[in-house]
Amino acid sequence: MSAELVELFHFALEDVRPNPFQTRESEDPEHIKQLAESIRAHGLMQIPTGRAISDSEVELAFGHSRLAAYKLLFEQGIEGARYFPVNIKELTDPQMFEMAVAENLERKDLTPIEEAKAMQRYMVDFHKTSAEVGTLFHLSDSAVRNKLRLLGLPEEVQQGLKERKITEGSAREVLTWLELPEDFRLEHSYHLRNWNQKNDKSIDPIIDAVMKGSNSENIHEMVTDVVDRGNRLSEAPWKWDEQLLGDGIFGLCKGCPQKFEREGKAICVNDECFKAKRHAWQQRYLQQASLLSGIPVLESEKDHDHYYLSQFSAYNSSSMNALKKSIAGHCENLRLVFDSSAVSSEKENHLKELGFPNAEILCSKRSGFCTCMKMADRGMEIKAGEDGKLDSETLKEANRLRREQDRLDTELVDAMQAKTAKVIYQALKEGSIEIWFEIARRVDYGMGNELRCRDSVTVSDIQFAIATKLAVANRYNNTPKDMVKEFNKCLKKLGLDPLDWEIEAEPQPAGKTLMEVFDEEGEKE
């Protein structure tokens, strides 16, 4: 018998065997009932095909639903349904398999799991590639591989697919979910659990939602919410095929099983590895910046209370200049740390021109801010040593000079205040209306009570106390150049002429009150 030869035979129902490669695992009872009624009314429109396995037995290639309909008719007493007609051909096992698949694909009878199992069997039993499977199933190579992944689903999800209670879209979201490491899923899915499931780690929130009927869109959002909690590799400064060295040797991101891709985004789901790589890359970055700038890298940032110099000098030009001189002089207190926000922030970065905008400079001195900045704030220029460096001895001497200057500045400002108070005092004695307006606005009950408690108080005492109060009101630091403006502003506000200050004026004599100084100066005048 040739492969082209077809002969029609009738076989007893019990002698008709199913296709050994049948991919459909169950029949739809309603469909069989409707098919039986059609056969009763119109007869069998298309004769099934099979192959003989003995003189009296046959294996169907396709036509299993028609066989089931014949059996139903026979059970209903239709005698003509006792024998089943089959076209007999010589068929190989691969042909039997392919005809079974073709019939089910045409009728769209297969569930996703049945289809995946059929693909797997075709590959295993007949040594077919995924591309060859795709040709039979009318799918692309990648679609075949994705379909086969469904066989890795938990049994309960596969059963839901078989029973068509779960869509293939929802099942694929479960596959994506299960590709994430278990510890990552447990850590980042806590918020997805119901209030009564919080402490029950045996309940998987995604599988639980799928089995309860959540649609694929909701499942997709839930999975995406957890995936997005991973580390985005697009934000990693290192290359995926770059080898990094730190406390250990880290594997490449490229091809790493911990690299998870979803919707065009690559996510690292290994927090520990990602943080270690980031630290190793930052340390290498800072070491390179250190070689060019000559500023050492801070050994440990843990629990430090150092000062970022840019935070101090960003709005102070003299401090900015001092910082640049400190950098040029390689102040021994300067250190480098990594600042991820430096590029996007408005503050000036002093290593940007060297190609290291994220290398932030800080002062490592813990007992207070660096001498360089303190001197700059006083308008003093720090002088480097003979070798051009700002070593500890140079900084120590500079700090001594700064403290001495602070003392002199304080004494000078005290004298300036005394002189301002004298001018106001004289104006009070003359009854300046502007001053009394200011007095009315600035009544100080604490001062009034203190004066009232004295044994004897003259009008001059009260006038002097008011004048001193007005003169000191705007004093906010000890820098003479700044206080010149403040004291003159105070006089102008009171309707008085500003003074022509001599900054080098002698401080007031020690041990004398402001009133005594005024009286002495009055006698000289």
Side-chain angles (χ1 to χ4, degrees), residues 78-231:
I78 306 301
E79 186 60 31
R82 177 70 177 83
Y83 292 92
F84 189 62
V86 180
N87 287 322
I88 300 299
K89 296 177 64 175
E90 288 187 0
L91 299 171
T92 63
D93 283 355
Q95 288 175 321
M96 291 284 286
F97 183 93
E98 292 164 4
M99 293 178 77
V101 168
E103 178 193 28
N104 289 311
L105 290 179
E106 182 179 353
R107 291 180 48 196
K108 299 181 180 179
D109 277 349
L110 298 180
T111 67
I113 291 297
E114 290 172 339
E115 195 172 3
K117 287 183 176 180
M119 291 176 178
Q120 185 183 60
R121 188 171 186 184
Y122 196 40
M123 295 177 72
V124 173
D125 290 0
F126 305 112
H127 310 291
K128 301 295 184 178
T129 65
S130 57
E132 291 172 319
V133 172
T135 300
L136 176 62
F137 284 83
H138 310 299
L139 295 172
S140 66
D141 189 8
S142 60
V144 169
R145 290 195 297 270
N146 284 331
K147 187 76 72 172
L148 290 170
R149 292 174 59 230
L150 297 175
L151 299 178
L153 287 166
E155 184 59 37
E156 57 183 322
V157 180
Q158 290 193 41
Q159 187 61 37
L161 278 173
K162 291 178 184 178
E163 298 172 0
R164 303 185 188 277
K165 295 179 179 179
I166 297 175
T167 65
E168 188 171 349
S170 295
R172 292 193 186 283
E173 291 298 330
V174 175
L175 282 172
T176 300
W177 172 250
L178 295 178
E179 286 177 351
L180 296 169
E182 183 179 6
D183 55 348
F184 182 86
R185 299 199 309 267
L186 288 174
E187 179 181 356
H188 296 290
S189 64
Y190 185 82
H191 63 291
L192 299 179
R193 301 174 185 274
N194 295 328
W195 66 270
N196 59 341
Q197 298 175 349
K198 293 297 185 182
N199 297 321
D200 189 352
K201 294 183 179 181
S202 65
I203 298 178
D204 187 299
I206 300 298
I207 295 178
D208 184 57
V210 168
M211 298 307 297
K212 288 180 178 178
S214 289
N215 59 43
S216 59
E217 290 79 9
N218 290 337
I219 302 301
H220 178 85
E221 290 179 4
M222 293 171 67
V223 174
T224 299
D225 178 73
V226 174
V227 171
D228 285 348
R229 294 169 186 261
N231 304 286

Side-chain angles (χ1 to χ4, degrees), residues 325 328-330 381-391 394-395:
K325 291 179 180 180
H330 295 175
E381 182 177 346
I382 189 170
K383 296 181 180 179
E386 296 180 357
D387 57 357
K389 304 295 183 182
L390 300 178
D391 54 25
T394 301
L395 293 173

Side-chain angles (χ1 to χ4, degrees), residues 302-322:
K302 185 177 181 181
D303 300 327
H304 72 75
D305 56 356
H306 311 303
Y307 299 85
Y308 290 98
L309 301 194
S310 58
Q311 295 174 350
F312 181 81
S313 61
Y315 305 104
N316 188 311
S317 58
S318 61
S319 297
M320 184 71 72
N321 292 331

Side-chain angles (χ1 to χ4, degrees), residues 41-71:
H42 308 291
L44 188 61
M45 306 297 292
Q46 182 182 13
I47 306 299
T49 296
R51 66 181 180 182
I53 56 176
S54 71
D55 292 339
S56 60
E57 295 179 309
V58 65
E59 279 183 345
L60 285 181
F62 62 84
H64 297 79
S65 295
R66 279 161 278 181
L67 175 62
Y70 258 69
K71 290 180 178 180

Side-chain angles (χ1 to χ4, degrees), residues 208-440:
D208 184 57
V210 168
M211 298 307 297
K212 288 180 178 178
S214 289
N215 59 43
S216 59
E217 290 79 9
N218 290 337
I219 302 301
H220 178 85
E221 290 179 4
M222 293 171 67
V223 174
T224 299
D225 178 73
V226 174
V227 171
D228 285 348
R229 294 169 186 261
N231 304 286
R232 295 194 178 185
L233 283 171
S234 60
E235 299 175 359
W238 59 87
K239 297 179 181 179
W240 295 0
D241 58 353
E242 183 178 7
Q243 184 71 65
L244 293 169
L245 300 177
D247 295 334
I249 300 177
F250 309 111
L252 303 181
C253 293
K254 185 177 182 180
C256 176
Q258 302 293 309
K259 181 170 72 70
F260 189 82
E261 296 190 20
R262 180 173 172 83
E263 299 179 344
K265 296 182 293 186
I267 305 293
C268 174
V269 294
N270 188 327
D271 290 339
E272 184 177 348
C273 180
F274 188 88
K275 291 176 182 178
K277 282 186 176 181
R278 181 172 57 194
H279 180 73
W281 184 88
Q282 290 176 357
Q283 289 303 303
R284 186 182 67 181
Y285 181 94
L286 292 175
Q287 290 297 340
Q288 292 171 345
S290 177
L291 289 175
L292 288 177
S293 66
I295 302 174
V297 178
L298 185 68
E299 293 183 2
S300 175
E301 296 184 51
K302 185 177 181 181
D303 300 327
H304 72 75
D305 56 356
H306 311 303
Y307 299 85
Y308 290 98
L309 301 194
S310 58
Q311 295 174 350
F312 181 81
S313 61
Y315 305 104
N316 188 311
S317 58
S318 61
S319 297
M320 184 71 72
N321 292 331
L323 173 57
K324 292 178 179 178
K325 291 179 180 180
S326 298
I327 296 172
H330 295 175
C331 172
E332 65 177 16
N333 291 327
L334 298 183
R335 294 293 184 272
L336 294 182
V337 294
F338 191 87
D339 182 10
S340 59
S341 65
V343 176
S344 60
S345 66
E346 297 180 356
K347 62 187 180 184
E348 180 175 343
N349 186 283
H350 312 286
L351 297 184
K352 185 175 181 179
E353 59 187 25
L354 296 179
F356 294 92
N358 291 111
E360 175 66 278
I361 304 171
L362 58 74
C363 176
S364 63
K365 188 175 181 181
R366 290 177 176 270
S367 59
F369 206 71
C370 67
T371 299
C372 313
M373 295 298 102
K374 288 181 178 178
M375 293 192 69
D377 195 42
R378 294 293 182 267
M380 301 174 64
E381 182 177 346
I382 189 170
K383 296 181 180 179
E386 296 180 357
D387 57 357
K389 304 295 183 182
L390 300 178
D391 54 25
S392 58
E393 290 300 320
T394 301
L395 293 173
K396 184 177 180 180
E397 176 61 17
N399 202 34
R400 186 192 67 77
L401 293 175
R402 180 189 60 78
R403 289 196 300 270
E404 178 63 20
Q405 186 63 48
D406 284 349
R407 184 187 65 79
L408 295 175
D409 287 349
T410 300
E411 292 179 353
L412 183 56
V413 171
D414 286 343
M416 292 167 65
Q417 182 179 351
K419 193 168 185 178
T420 301
K422 179 184 176 183
V423 173
I424 298 174
Y425 173 66
Q426 292 297 330
L428 284 171
K429 293 175 68 176
E430 295 170 3
S432 169
I433 189 64
E434 287 83 3
I435 289 179
W436 292 111
F437 280 147
E438 187 67 16
I439 292 173

